[in-house]
Amino acid sequence: MPSIYELALGDDFARLHPKIRERFGFSSADGIASFGAGVMDRIWHAKWAVLPLALGATRNIMFPQSGRSVPFKIANYAYRDELGRETVTWNRAFQFADARRRFEATMIYSGERGRIVDYLGNRQHLAVDLDLAVAPNGGIRIRSGEQRFYEGPLGFRFPSVCTGIAEVCEWYDDDAACYRITVAVRHPIAGPVFAYEGAFQAAFKTMSASAIPIGAKPLRLERRE
């Protein structure tokens, strides 16, 4: 079974660095999970964005902390959710001196939209379309697109002027033998909002669907994509 990233990239998936293909190439059929640990060299946020970031932190979506040399962990589990959708978790933890912050998401491939949909946070209230591409260095580039909010019967699309655009690149550094990542969120009018960059190591572990910790999955499931 192809991974959701292979479905999104099609033939371009083969152009990724072998280590990136490995990290983005497993599905629920493989019975494995990926665990990473490293250090984010720099985490930054705009001072004006403290309030919206603090609100997002209540749902494990970004956070109003900045720092350097911040210990980092990430867990990626692949499973089929209760709606039968192939799903991959992105459970990130950042250990600051005075707080531990989480940034969580679950991604699915939407056949209807022809792309990956990223549900940000631990309640899947915010759905974001993702565009994927292969970087010149064999890394994977991810850019956010349309964003939608869902809560009970409520559902609406955010105007582009009200949302930030996220640019992510993850690649493998052969010289340092580690994965590297850069993340930057920018508002189309107000400018830079949030960013981090750093390096980590990752390894795979055998993991059946029944062994995935319940806390690794979202607290609420949204069927709308």
Side-chain angles (χ1 to χ4, degrees), residues 25 38 53 92 105 126 135 155 165 181 207 210 217:
L53 289 174
R92 291 151 286 203
L126 186 59
I165 300 170
I181 188 168
M207 181 74 61
S210 61
K217 298 180 179 181

Side-chain angles (χ1 to χ4, degrees), residues 100-146:
R100 187 171 188 266
R101 290 298 193 181
R102 301 186 63 85
F103 184 4
E104 299 179 349
T106 43
M107 298 185 186
I108 67 163
Y109 179 79
S110 171
E112 179 180 347
R113 292 183 174 275
R115 66 186 68 247
I116 288 176
V117 173
D118 188 10
Y119 292 104
L120 298 181
N122 56 9
R123 290 174 174 81
Q124 293 195 344
H125 288 308
L126 186 59
V128 182
D129 288 345
L130 299 182
D131 291 318
L132 274 60
V134 179
N137 61 3
I140 188 167
R141 289 192 179 277
I142 303 173
R143 188 175 194 271
S144 66
E146 181 181 293

Side-chain angles (χ1 to χ4, degrees), residues 131-198:
D131 291 318
L132 274 60
V134 179
N137 61 3
I140 188 167
R141 289 192 179 277
I142 303 173
R143 188 175 194 271
S144 66
E146 181 181 293
Q147 300 182 21
R148 299 168 296 280
F149 180 84
Y150 299 125
E151 171 63 47
L154 181 65
F156 61 87
R157 173 184 176 274
F158 284 103
S160 58
V161 72
C162 296
T163 63
I165 300 170
E167 299 270 3
V168 180
C169 187
E170 183 177 320
W171 72 98
Y172 192 77
D173 184 335
D174 286 301
D175 294 333
C178 68
Y179 295 91
R180 295 193 182 277
I181 188 168
T182 62
V183 175
V185 180
R186 184 180 183 86
H187 188 272
I189 296 175
V193 179
F194 178 83
Y196 63 85
E197 58 187 74

Side-chain angles (χ1 to χ4, degrees), residues 33-112:
S34 175
F35 298 94
V39 173
M40 292 298 106
D41 300 323
R42 174 178 177 264
I43 300 176
W44 174 91
H45 69 82
K47 291 182 179 180
W48 63 263
V50 168
L51 185 58
L53 289 174
L55 180 61
T58 65
R59 300 296 175 91
N60 292 349
I61 306 175
M62 297 187 289
F63 41 82
Q65 259 82 23
S66 295
R68 292 187 178 273
S69 300
V70 179
F72 165 82
K73 290 185 178 180
I74 184 168
N76 301 108
Y77 301 97
Y79 65 94
R80 286 195 172 269
D81 69 13
E82 295 172 16
L83 300 175
R85 302 177 302 187
E86 185 71 17
T87 304
V88 178
T89 69
W90 287 81
N91 296 341
R92 291 151 286 203
F94 303 81
Q95 186 62 60
F96 294 91
D98 59 348
R100 187 171 188 266
R101 290 298 193 181
R102 301 186 63 85
F103 184 4
E104 299 179 349
T106 43
M107 298 185 186
I108 67 163
Y109 179 79
S110 171
E112 179 180 347

